[in-house]
Amino acid sequence: MAFTRERAVDGVVERLFELTVDGERVPAVIWAPEGAAGPRPLVLMGHGGSQHKKIGGLASRAKTYARRFGYATLAIDAPGHGDRIRREEALANMREVGARVTGQTSSAWTPERLQLMAERTRRAVPEWKAALDAVQTLDFVGPDGPVGYWGVSMGTAIGVPFVADEPRITCALFGLAGLRPNAPAFEAAARAITIPVEFVFQWEDAVASREHGLALFNAFGSAEKTMHINPGGHLDMPAFESASWERFFVRHLGVAAGAQALAAE
Amino acid sequence: MAFTRERAVDGVVERLFELTVDGERVPAVIWAPEGAAGPRPLVLMGHGGSQHKKIGGLASRAKTYARRFGYATLAIDAPGHGDRIRREEALANMREVGARVTGQTSSAWTPERLQLMAERTRRAVPEWKAALDAVQTLDFVGPDGPVGYWGVSMGTAIGVPFVADEPRITCALFGLAGLRPNAPAFEAAARAITIPVEFVFQWEDAVASREHGLALFNAFGSAEKTMHINPGGHLDMPAFESASWERFFVRHLGVAAGAQALAAE
């Protein structure tokens, strides 16, 4: 496994690499503390629609997790996203998704959108598995450490089928998505998930109705599952939820050796 | 204001006192760090049905808050509870409420229970105000510090009308309760509350249906309100919610002078 770029900033190293899965190039990134050696908890972060593997909030969380908990964080560009498309396409997608999540255009699941999403998920699941395989060969990750998943919106649309199919993942943060009627594959995946789940939901989300959000929460097969509902739209999630995610991951993944002082908080 | 008993254990002083409100004796307790001097955040904790002001979980939280955040915590026996009734009555009430919250007996709001609860709330609101007046004269609380409220189940049934009517309270933790149809006074009180609210709810609670729980969350007038839903019954709330309450209060009340190191966590 060769890194195409390594860069250390403020005690965290960002390493870029690429995989080839089913003939497709999959750009990936892993963050870890500078000087990291030996196994540590790993978080996989799935970005949202029209975003990419190094989008601001995701990268910022990955760096915070590295500094505070000693975690490694892996992200990949989803099919049709990031470095897998041209810059003009990415910008057009950003405008289209932006208009949809803010309710300016319809979020109805047209047959075309459903087919696009199904195709993305079909590709993304083996890509995530290949990326996880690859980083577990790294000395500073290791094959046996606990693995968490984080992904909201499209990160949940892809994440639910992926997590349902990936026994290495031991806890998952989902959100900003719902379970529509007549989505039997997605529903079956949600029911097959039995690891601890935290599910964050916006009460006035143009993308997912209250009813569909509650239906997805109800479908998760986990004995430990918790749903956090906040007012506002798709982009209005309050900042205090990210503090809750930190506690969720520390509770279930622990912290890396050497970061124990922070775990006691 | 005379304390009837003071006792220091593990760095926290527990002081008992009594008020007389509308001719009724109201037993009260306040916890604060040993050696506390000067103003500090205050949390009012309303106990649940059949419980009392020093019930285990409440007292344990009060002591933790004193040690970690330097808080003072005030609790009073609700009407018909604790030291306001005989021991045999308290035990009978505990059995009756225990059977109800675990679904062994009906939790239907009979006219008798509704009248009893309305009468308790009518008495409890001025009692809470008098207790707050009293402790704000104490040097180690002060008249101007931030005040939070915590109360689930009956602590919400009484707490919603109290908080709606008490401008000194700046944030409130409610839970394990719902808004029934045809409860216009309770609904109006919930709508009048505009401070930050965290609302914790059990998804299979014999005492409050999902529909009524969501209705109460919807009714709160607050721009910042968050609902945490967990599986299980009235007594099954997961332990991690109490960690969320700590962060909620620290976010909104800050911490006492001298406890800043802990606030940064």
Side-chain angles (χ1 to χ4, degrees):
Chain A
M1 181 172 171
F3 298 116
T4 55
R5 200 178 73 190
E6 298 195 36
R7 187 171 62 165
V9 177
D10 293 338
V12 180
V13 185
E14 176 184 290
R15 294 175 173 92
L16 301 183
F17 61 102
E18 288 193 0
L19 301 159
T20 302
V21 181
D22 291 336
E24 280 261 343
R25 186 177 68 100
V26 181
V29 57
I30 186 164
W31 290 270
E34 201 168 1
R40 66 197 57 253
L42 172 69
V43 177
L44 314 187
M45 291 198 192
H47 65 74
S50 88
Q51 302 181 342
H52 60 84
K53 64 184 178 306
K54 286 174 55 182
I55 192 84
L58 192 159
S60 156
R61 255 193 319 282
K63 291 169 192 170
T64 299
Y65 288 12
R67 276 192 287 263
R68 299 194 67 204
F69 314 129
Y71 288 2
T73 297
L74 169 67
I76 61 177
D77 282 330
H81 283 76
D83 294 332
R84 303 173 71 164
I85 53 174
R86 286 177 301 111
R87 185 164 180 77
E88 307 81 71
E89 287 179 86
L91 288 170
N93 290 347
M94 205 174 300
R95 280 190 297 270
E96 186 270 320
V97 172
R100 191 148 46 73
V101 302
T102 53
Q104 295 165 59
T105 57
S106 167
S107 269
W109 287 88
T110 60
E112 292 71 24
R113 277 192 61 219
L114 283 172
Q115 201 187 332
L116 183 70
M117 200 60 234
E119 170 63 13
R120 275 187 190 152
T121 301
R122 196 188 60 71
R123 281 188 178 277
V125 171
E127 291 173 359
W128 265 121
K129 285 175 169 279
L132 178 53
D133 291 345
V135 302
Q136 283 193 326
T137 67
L138 295 167
D139 158 69
F140 63 85
V141 175
D144 301 316
V147 183
Y149 180 84
W150 180 98
V152 301
S153 197
M154 190 181 78
T156 290
I158 287 173
V160 166
F162 166 50
V163 169
D165 199 35
E166 181 45 77
R168 286 174 288 185
I169 295 177
T170 53
C171 66
L173 187 299
F174 296 123
L176 304 186
L179 173 61
R180 290 166 293 107
N182 305 316
F186 193 71
E187 180 173 353
R191 293 198 187 286
I193 292 174
T194 56
I195 55 173
V197 164
E198 186 163 308
F199 179 58
V200 63
F201 192 78
Q202 291 294 110
W203 215 214
E204 285 84 26
D205 194 332
V207 171
S209 71
R210 294 176 180 186
E211 184 189 357
H212 294 175
L214 293 170
L216 181 51
F217 175 67
N218 287 337
F220 289 124
S222 313
E224 181 185 325
K225 57 181 180 179
T226 188
M227 179 170 180
H228 290 186
I229 303 173
N230 292 292
H234 201 74
L235 305 176
D236 299 330
M237 192 157 50
F240 55 74
E241 290 297 343
S242 70
S244 184
W245 305 337
E246 293 186 7
R247 206 156 48 193
F248 176 75
F249 286 124
V250 169
R251 203 160 65 232
H252 294 293
L253 306 178
V255 298
Q260 283 87 347
L262 290 158
E265 281 174 13
Chain B
M1 179 172 172
F3 298 117
T4 55
R5 201 177 73 191
E6 298 196 35
R7 188 170 62 166
V9 177
D10 293 338
V12 180
V13 186
E14 175 185 292
R15 293 175 174 90
L16 301 184
F17 61 101
E18 289 192 359
L19 301 159
T20 301
V21 181
D22 291 336
E24 280 259 344
R25 186 177 69 100
V26 181
V29 56
I30 186 164
W31 291 271
E34 201 169 358
R40 68 198 54 252
L42 172 70
V43 177
L44 314 188
M45 291 199 192
H47 65 75
S50 88
Q51 300 180 343
H52 59 84
K53 65 185 178 304
K54 286 174 56 180
I55 192 82
L58 191 159
S60 158
R61 254 190 323 279
K63 291 169 191 170
T64 299
Y65 288 11
R67 277 192 287 263
R68 299 194 67 205
F69 314 127
Y71 287 1
T73 296
L74 168 68
I76 61 177
D77 283 327
H81 283 75
D83 295 332
R84 303 173 70 165
I85 54 174
R86 287 176 301 112
R87 186 163 180 76
E88 307 83 69
E89 287 179 87
L91 288 169
N93 289 348
M94 207 173 298
R95 281 190 296 272
E96 186 269 322
V97 171
R100 193 148 45 72
V101 300
T102 54
Q104 296 165 59
T105 56
S106 167
S107 270
W109 288 88
T110 60
E112 292 72 24
R113 277 190 62 220
L114 283 172
Q115 200 187 333
L116 183 69
M117 200 61 235
E119 169 64 12
R120 274 188 191 151
T121 301
R122 197 189 60 71
R123 281 190 177 278
V125 171
E127 291 173 0
W128 265 121
K129 286 176 168 280
L132 178 53
D133 290 346
V135 301
Q136 283 192 326
T137 67
L138 295 167
D139 158 69
F140 63 85
V141 176
D144 302 315
V147 183
Y149 180 85
W150 179 98
V152 300
S153 195
M154 190 181 79
T156 290
I158 286 173
V160 166
F162 167 50
V163 169
D165 198 35
E166 180 48 75
R168 285 174 288 186
I169 295 178
T170 53
C171 66
L173 186 300
F174 296 123
L176 305 185
L179 173 61
R180 291 167 293 108
N182 305 316
F186 193 70
E187 181 173 353
R191 293 200 187 285
I193 291 173
T194 56
I195 55 173
V197 164
E198 186 163 308
F199 178 58
V200 62
F201 192 78
Q202 291 295 112
W203 215 213
E204 285 84 26
D205 194 331
V207 171
S209 71
R210 294 176 180 186
E211 184 189 358
H212 294 176
L214 293 170
L216 180 52
F217 175 66
N218 287 337
F220 289 124
S222 313
E224 181 186 325
K225 56 180 180 179
T226 188
M227 180 170 180
H228 290 186
I229 303 174
N230 293 292
H234 200 75
L235 305 176
D236 299 329
M237 191 159 50
F240 55 74
E241 290 298 343
S242 69
S244 184
W245 305 337
E246 292 185 6
R247 207 157 47 194
F248 176 75
F249 286 124
V250 168
R251 201 160 68 233
H252 295 294
L253 307 178
V255 298
Q260 282 86 344
L262 290 158
E265 283 175 10

